Amino acid sequence: MERKRVLITGAAGFLGSHLCDRFIKEDYHVIAMDNLITGDLQNIEHLFALENFEFSHHDVSKFVYVPGKLDYILHFASPASPIDYLKIPIQTLKVGSLGTHNLLGLAKNKKARMIIASTSEVYGDPSVNPQPEEYWGNVNPVGPRGVYDEAKRFQEAMTMAYHTFHGLETRIVRIFNTYGPRMRLNDGRVLPAFIGQALRGEDLTVFGDGSQTRSFCYVDDLVEGIYRLLLSDYAQPVNIGNPDEITISQFAEEIIKLTGTTQKVIYKDLPVDDPKQRRPDITKARALLNWEPKISRAEGLKITYAYFKSLPAEALINKEHKDFTTYNR
Ligand code: UDP
């Protein structure tokens, strides 16, 4: 039988690369697309030798062309850490808006089903906890996170419009904080930040008083949820995340224990508009997809720490080599 063909954007990134692995494992033909601004080819290097894998170096904010048939499109291209979208705010807006529009057009031409990577950031700094899909959110459009949050909200609106107006088969996954191997050590996110600090022998920087909460999902659980949602027939947004909520202070303590570092916690200013609480209500995912996370934070953190420890020493240097300034057009 002919293989199904899937286009994955943001394929060289953290989530994109794990999705490539999953679809290769399911014997799809995978077309991996990335402009490599924040992605890293090392994440998918092991797939290049396969006959059912191809890579396309392309920015989806520009017209996207893929020859041949396409069964599915997974749009996972976007900067996704607060530090990244502060550095490349305009690219962040463009990939969520123009990029999504281009890919929806492609999906329509190819009669492909498309899933978009939305985010818990559509809920902003939420006033209800946990957050169900029905919650409309509390977003500051002109704050530093606005470029990401509003791009993702627009992305959902655009996707839903293609669904209702053109009858396109679409899926929307709202992804909550996720971690695992292949996260960038220096992307500013709390988990690589803390582990990087522990490995370098620096103090762990907790922002604010550390009472803000997050709920961390291990990447394999997330990928399973996304896979099930894509193959389901449900077009409304679905939260995928781990409801095990923890304060950032407690999380710092867990990383201190995990790594055995003798460093301490130091406190820094809370970033503007940093959400005070975040926890997914996964009632829908449980009912519709028969999905819930299986991997505990203790297990997932062990695997992730082992990955970071295995990186070459230069990966620990706390600087980003890429010059982002030219991308803000
Ligand atoms: N955070 C922190 N220290 C760090 C990096 C992040 O205390 O070195 C906090 C951050 O202020 C936020 C939480 O950890 O409250 C999660 O931050 P992250 O950037 O990972 O993702 P977010 O969930 O805010 O998008």
Side-chain angles (χ1 to χ4, degrees):
M1 212 183 67
E2 219 186 320
R3 281 191 177 107
K4 292 222 154 141
R5 288 164 58 87
V6 57
L7 169 67
I8 301 178
T9 76
F14 166 48
L15 296 183
S17 66
H18 284 281
L19 286 163
C20 287
D21 285 342
R22 176 61 188 260
F23 281 85
I24 288 288
K25 202 172 128 210
E26 304 286 346
D27 203 31
Y28 283 71
H29 182 91
V30 173
I31 301 156
M33 193 172 275
D34 206 299
N35 65 357
L36 302 176
I37 296 185
T38 58
D40 188 338
L41 282 178
Q42 273 179 14
N43 291 334
I44 47 173
E45 216 171 24
H46 57 289
L47 302 175
F48 273 72
L50 302 176
E51 48 131 0
N52 56 330
F53 179 84
E54 57 186 287
F55 178 72
S56 167
H57 186 190
H58 183 69
D59 177 351
V60 297
S61 309
K62 314 225 161 69
F63 183 82
V64 185
Y65 178 70
V66 173
K69 79 163 182 141
L70 272 183
D71 297 287
Y72 300 114
I73 297 175
L74 284 75
H75 183 24
F76 278 70
S78 178
S81 88
I83 287 208
D84 284 345
Y85 39 82
L86 280 173
K87 280 188 195 148
I88 41 173
I90 297 163
Q91 284 289 320
T92 303
L93 280 158
K94 282 168 75 176
V95 71
S97 54
L98 307 182
T100 301
H101 189 208
N102 288 336
L103 292 162
L104 284 164
L106 180 68
K108 182 163 144 285
N109 282 343
K110 302 279 182 184
K111 297 187 177 39
R113 182 182 296 178
M114 172 148 147
I115 184 167
I116 57 152
S118 188
T119 163
S120 54
E121 283 284 324
V122 300
Y123 302 124
D125 185 3
S127 51
V128 300
N129 198 47
Q131 295 83 51
E133 288 85 349
E134 292 73 25
Y135 178 56
W136 290 356
N138 177 32
V139 169
N140 174 5
V142 293
R145 289 173 177 257
V147 295
Y148 184 62
D149 301 7
E150 296 296 1
K152 291 293 186 180
R153 290 170 68 97
F154 176 88
Q155 179 182 49
E156 288 197 10
M158 187 64 134
T159 300
M160 207 36 94
Y162 266 70
H163 177 68
T164 48
F165 188 72
H166 289 306
L168 189 72
E169 285 199 50
T170 54
R171 306 288 178 263
I172 299 174
V173 55
R174 291 190 181 148
I175 298 170
F176 284 66
N177 293 67
T178 302
Y179 69 97
R182 303 186 193 150
M183 284 186 103
R184 264 160 52 225
L185 200 47
N186 300 320
D187 79 350
R189 289 188 160 276
V190 66
L191 183 144
F194 284 172
I195 291 187
Q197 287 160 347
L199 288 173
R200 288 190 298 271
E202 297 167 6
D203 290 335
L204 274 62
T205 52
V206 166
F207 298 163
D209 64 4
S211 65
Q212 71 273 30
T213 67
R214 293 294 185 273
S215 309
F216 297 99
C217 184
Y218 187 66
V219 63
D220 290 359
D221 281 333
L222 188 92
V223 165
E224 180 62 31
I226 291 168
Y227 189 74
R228 289 187 190 200
L229 177 60
L230 178 69
L231 299 185
S232 79
D233 58 5
Y234 192 72
Q236 296 295 315
V238 178
N239 290 339
I240 299 286
N242 190 321
D244 187 2
E245 186 178 4
I246 183 174
T247 68
I248 295 301
S249 299
Q250 287 170 318
F251 190 58
E253 291 307 322
E254 284 191 3
I255 300 292
I256 287 173
K257 272 211 192 97
L258 172 78
T259 58
T261 177
T262 51
Q263 304 298 127
K264 57 179 193 315
V265 163
I266 54 169
Y267 292 87
K268 296 223 165 153
D269 287 347
L270 191 67
V272 177
D273 296 340
D274 198 287
K276 282 180 267 318
Q277 49 185 1
R278 186 182 288 154
R279 174 187 183 184
D281 180 333
I282 58 165
T283 311
K284 272 216 170 84
R286 281 198 172 103
L288 294 165
L289 313 174
N290 191 25
W291 174 89
E292 63 180 11
K294 298 268 183 281
I295 297 161
S296 69
R297 203 168 49 245
E299 272 175 278
L301 284 181
K302 238 192 235 165
I303 303 167
T304 308
Y305 180 47
Y307 165 78
F308 282 126
K309 268 202 304 196
S310 75
L311 294 177
E314 44 297 1
L316 275 179
I317 298 167
N318 192 6
K319 65 172 197 240
E320 283 288 331
H321 299 281
K322 289 175 186 169
D323 174 14
F324 287 99
T325 52
T326 54
Y327 292 110
N328 282 326
R329 297 189 185 126

